[in-house]
Amino acid sequence: MQSKDRFTAIVPALIVWGFAGALFGALFAGLHRILLVMGLTGWLPLVVATAAASMTTTAFYSAMPVALVGSMAGVLASIGYLIVIGHDIDLLMISGLAAGAGVVAGGFYSWMVAGGSRPLAETLTGLLTGLLAATLLSLALWLLGEPVGVFVLAAGLVALAGALFELSERWLVRLGIAWLPGVVSAPLVAGLVAAVVAGSIWILGSTTATVLDMRTQQAIAQVLHDIPPGLLGGMLGGSMTGIVLKIFGFRLEDEI
């Protein structure tokens, strides 16, 4: 009976952390490749992509209502942009427009539902743990001196960032709630999520655009090539981390 109860407790953690890891890994892989195409080198693309992916995943994991508001705003703003502009899709323009729509939608949500500063505190905790995980992995890769694939990178980053988040979440979020202004919490988180959603729509929409130059088409093809292994690696890393944390007694369902 105890084995059955333990199995029943582990399955939700496996599913939730697997999906969260898949989101993290896919975002990391896409952003990492985009930054490389833009000319960033060394440890910087790894750190920036990890921080952005960790923030976004944390928003969906720990502040889902606000993240869903941001996602809807990002989708609607992107669709409106595509209807007005057509196939001439500019990444900064569509992301900026979606971010503005997310801020407005998040402000309306904050006015309707008093949520305090917890969404922003959770998201910033994800930022800090993502930065720390990326720094540790960058140091490990530098010491090893061997290149690794996107699958391994995503799995390792999800495992590190997830473990660090659970270990530090309680006291960092408590500190953030005490110091961060609640009025900007939901708008900022929703704006971040909306910008990420718009960036994803830009990637998908650009694959069907015929007016792009060859270099841009090749860059987008590289991004799409990296996303599947990043997604699978993140799913594996998230699932394994969720199981291990659950076995060690972390109540993961409290943060979902």
Side-chain angles (χ1 to χ4, degrees):
M1 189 65 181
Q2 289 182 351
S3 299
K4 182 180 178 180
D5 292 341
R6 174 166 291 189
F7 177 78
T8 304
I10 288 176
V11 168
L14 177 67
I15 295 174
V16 172
W17 275 70
F19 277 118
L23 174 62
F24 188 117
L27 286 173
F28 163 77
L31 291 170
H32 184 253
R33 176 55 62 180
I34 289 174
L35 293 173
L36 289 175
V37 170
M38 292 173 61
L40 273 68
T41 58
W43 54 268
L44 194 56
L46 179 67
V47 172
V48 174
T50 303
S54 184
M55 288 176 65
T56 307
T57 305
T58 304
F60 276 100
Y61 179 73
S62 301
M64 188 172 291
V66 179
L68 292 176
V69 169
S71 298
M72 184 173 294
V75 170
L76 294 177
S78 300
I79 291 175
Y81 175 90
L82 294 175
I83 291 173
V84 174
I85 302 300
H87 290 292
D88 187 16
I89 308 172
D90 182 79
L91 175 59
L92 294 179
M93 181 67 72
I94 193 172
S95 296
L97 179 64
V103 169
V104 173
F108 182 74
Y109 175 87
S110 181
W111 177 64
M112 294 290 293
V113 181
S117 57
R118 186 176 184 86
L120 183 58
E122 294 276 6
T123 304
L124 290 179
T125 299
L127 169 64
L128 293 175
T129 54
L131 287 174
L132 182 56
T135 302
L136 293 175
L137 187 59
S138 298
L139 180 61
L141 294 175
W142 177 73
L143 292 174
L144 290 174
E146 294 290 336
V148 296
V150 177
F151 180 89
V152 177
L153 281 177
L157 286 169
V158 168
L160 275 174
L164 291 171
F165 178 83
E166 286 299 326
L167 290 172
S168 60
E169 188 260 350
R170 292 186 182 277
W171 65 273
L172 279 179
V173 171
R174 189 181 302 116
L175 182 65
I177 291 175
W179 287 96
L180 294 171
V183 66
V184 300
S185 178
L188 289 179
V189 174
L192 166 69
V193 173
V196 172
V197 169
S200 302
I201 292 176
W202 172 80
I203 293 175
L204 296 176
S206 297
T207 59
T208 60
T210 59
V211 296
L212 297 177
D213 58 85
M214 184 59 67
R215 182 177 180 274
T216 303
Q217 291 179 2
Q218 291 176 347
I220 293 172
Q222 290 178 322
V223 172
L224 295 176
H225 180 268
D226 281 357
I227 288 178
L231 185 149
L232 293 175
M235 181 180 294
L236 176 63
S239 300
M240 295 299 100
T241 304
I243 291 175
V244 171
L245 290 172
K246 191 66 180 179
I247 291 175
F248 277 94
F250 285 85
R251 295 183 58 82
L252 305 179
E253 64 273 12
D254 292 343
E255 283 84 38
I256 299 173

